[in-house]
Amino acid sequence: MADMLGNALSALTSYQRALATTSHNIANADTEGYSRQRVDFATRVPQQMGDLSIGSGVTLSDVRRVYDEFAGQQLRSASGAFSQLDNYYQLASQLDNTLSDSELGLSAALSDFYDSVQNLANDPASLSARQLLLSEAESLSGRFSQFASQLDTLDTDINNRIQASVNDINDLAGQVAKINSSIAEAQGKFGSVPGDLLDQRDQALLKLNELVNISTVEQDDGSVNVFIGNGQSLVLGEKSNSLHTVRSAFEADRLEVSTSTSETGIISDVINGGSLGASLSFRDGLLSDTRNELGRIASAVASSLNDQNAAGLDLYGQRGSAIFAQPAPTAIAATTNDGDATIAASLNDVSALDGRNIAMRFDGTNWQFNDAGTGQSLSNWTGSGTAADPFVIDGVSISLSGSVVAGDRFLVKPTESASANLTVVMSDPAQLAAAAATRSGASSANTGSASISETLVVDPNHPNLTDAVSISFLDASTYSINGAGSYSYAPGEAITINGNTVTITGTPAASDVFSITENTGASGDNRNMLAMADVESLGILSGGSASVKDAVSGLVGDIAVATRSAELNRDAQQNLLTQAQATVESISGVNLDEEASNLLKFQQAYQAAAQAASVANQLFQSLIGAIS
């Protein structure tokens, strides 16, 4: 009877705990990250009675969570990748919408401006057409400024995202460290860890991996160490190490991620994965490239239009003045420099601009130039850095003054601020130079069949551009210029003099004379304005191989491709994430039908054990009654 009662009581205890576990599963059916728990039963050590072994009941050997480590790792990886791609796509979409709008985008703004140039070319003496062109120039300047402002807004948004991500990472790292402490304590006291603690830690690690790519190493006491970047520790057992946001040494409004409160601990360039990695890679990649390329286009627009206007004559008979202020590069000395050197930069050759930022460092003896974005070493520089012999690299002249000491750093941004600084400086529409600066002519006394083309100004800055030039033929195959020299004549071959180019075709006779003179009194001439209308398609960038139109199409196209690619990758990753979630749910999720079945099974077993205990009690009472 004692054996029977002991067996029944062990069953009552075990099934009561099984019922409690089942009810716990039911209660947490909708708890995020909860893994269902299962009870394992085992027989007690039997009692030996002579040659017989009599069972002594049941015991609850384990209450364990149903969890697959591999499936959990797959979910963590898929979730982190989706978070990264989703955040990147959101940012890229904003950038795409800013520049590709059919009515307010970059292409539309330039198209409207060049339409007004063509309109003036059609009526070069019209003051209203001239005023319209200046108005469109103001609008173009305003659009570039607005684009720059929108990129600044996006930059501010990224700063906010970085700060929020760092705060969340620190909170989650602290949670993991606390849970590690509880797990290590449970492991030490009881030799096992409650499944709920493991679920809480796994959920914290999942959310942490959505913010930044992490790696984990499990310790003997059940705790896990968490690392980010190139092995920087975030959690070591029961201790968490906080991340910080610090201001860049070159830009006060740019946040960097650091393991300390100073610039020495910056790890932004090694952080990857998760929403934080996406924010950093987008800012330092697509956003920075877009800002630089937009500035390169603005610089090219200002330079090419100013040069072309200088190649003509305005309504006052004067050489055309600048329409736009030429944006200057940005040059910054690091706030951590020990020397007192200041840096200045100016544009040297717009066609050599390539849109990259230049990092400079002095090692005590030599200068080092690197691509600020990729870190690639640059060797295409000349000069010594003085005002008389400036450094020249990527179309920029750089000079320093003051003392430089080893370790001093500088950053040059040739085009980053050009879009924001593109402003119209011309206010008088009569100063628009529609007429060409020079014209050609043939003497009325010529007897040959040769003719001369209109002049083409190829160097508006030539000091003798408008000086009178006389081309006199000595015979049908040779000519002199201003009475000097003897040059071979080839029909249709370009003749370049004082920044002007002409071609003579046909057969000249001896003593035939052709001239190049200043184009005075030519208010109806539209040659220079026609040339200005063609500037958009001229090869003035990338060493003469790309036009402004090409650059705009390339910029808008690259952003569209990057955005579409991010969208497709995000959607593909969403499917992988859904599959990973389904796999984990199928293994660890609570099935209410199954739990209801277990509840009924354990309830019946509990009731049967209670009945067995009641029978044992009755038998015991009967025995006591018989003895007494």
Side-chain angles (χ1 to χ4, degrees), residues 165-175 177 226 228 232-236 239-246 257-262 265 267:
S165 294
V166 167
N167 291 340
D168 291 343
I169 288 171
N170 289 338
D171 289 343
L172 289 168
Q175 291 179 31
V226 182
I228 61 173
Q232 288 79 15
S233 60
L234 191 61
V235 178
L236 292 176
K239 179 185 177 182
S240 64
N241 299 316
S242 296
L243 296 180
H244 305 271
T245 55
V246 298
V257 180
S258 175
T259 56
S260 67
T261 56
S262 69
I267 58 171

Side-chain angles (χ1 to χ4, degrees), residues 158-338:
I158 291 174
N159 272 346
N160 293 335
R161 293 183 185 222
I162 291 173
Q163 186 64 67
S165 294
V166 167
N167 291 340
D168 291 343
I169 288 171
N170 289 338
D171 289 343
L172 289 168
Q175 291 179 31
V176 172
K178 289 181 181 179
I179 297 172
N180 273 346
S181 177
S182 299
I183 287 174
E185 183 179 357
Q187 183 83 3
K189 286 184 178 180
F190 310 112
S192 63
V193 180
D196 293 339
L197 282 179
L198 296 175
D199 284 343
Q200 291 174 21
R201 187 175 68 186
D202 284 342
Q203 191 64 17
L205 291 174
L206 178 64
K207 292 181 178 179
L208 192 56
N209 201 66
E210 290 175 355
L211 294 169
V212 63
N213 189 38
I214 63 171
S215 58
T216 59
V217 178
E218 187 169 356
Q219 303 302 297
D220 292 338
D221 61 359
S223 63
V224 294
N225 294 340
V226 182
F227 303 93
I228 61 173
N230 286 343
Q232 288 79 15
S233 60
L234 191 61
V235 178
L236 292 176
E238 302 176 11
K239 179 185 177 182
S240 64
N241 299 316
S242 296
L243 296 180
H244 305 271
T245 55
V246 298
R247 301 290 177 179
S248 167
F250 294 107
E251 301 167 274
D253 57 352
R254 179 186 178 95
L255 290 183
E256 302 288 357
V257 180
S258 175
T259 56
S260 67
T261 56
S262 69
E263 190 201 29
T264 56
I266 288 178
I267 58 171
S268 297
D269 57 338
V270 298
I271 285 181
N272 58 79
S275 58
L276 177 58
S279 296
L280 291 169
S281 65
F282 174 81
R283 181 192 69 181
D284 298 339
L286 188 59
L287 181 59
S288 177
D289 292 345
T290 298
R291 193 191 300 275
N292 287 339
E293 183 63 8
L294 188 64
R296 190 170 78 116
I297 293 170
S299 295
V301 167
S303 176
S304 60
L305 291 173
N306 287 348
D307 285 349
Q308 193 61 55
N309 203 53
L313 298 179
D314 61 21
L315 288 182
Y316 300 115
Q318 303 296 319
R319 295 283 297 280
S321 58
I323 300 174
F324 296 95
Q326 182 66 59
T330 301
I332 313 167
T335 57
T336 54
N337 286 356
D338 293 325

Side-chain angles (χ1 to χ4, degrees), residues 490-519:
E493 184 177 86
I495 301 174
T496 301
I497 309 167
N498 296 345
N500 293 287
T501 293
V502 293
T503 57
I504 299 176
T505 55
T507 304
S511 300
D512 280 358
V513 176
F514 299 89
S515 62
I516 300 175
T517 59
E518 186 173 8
N519 192 22

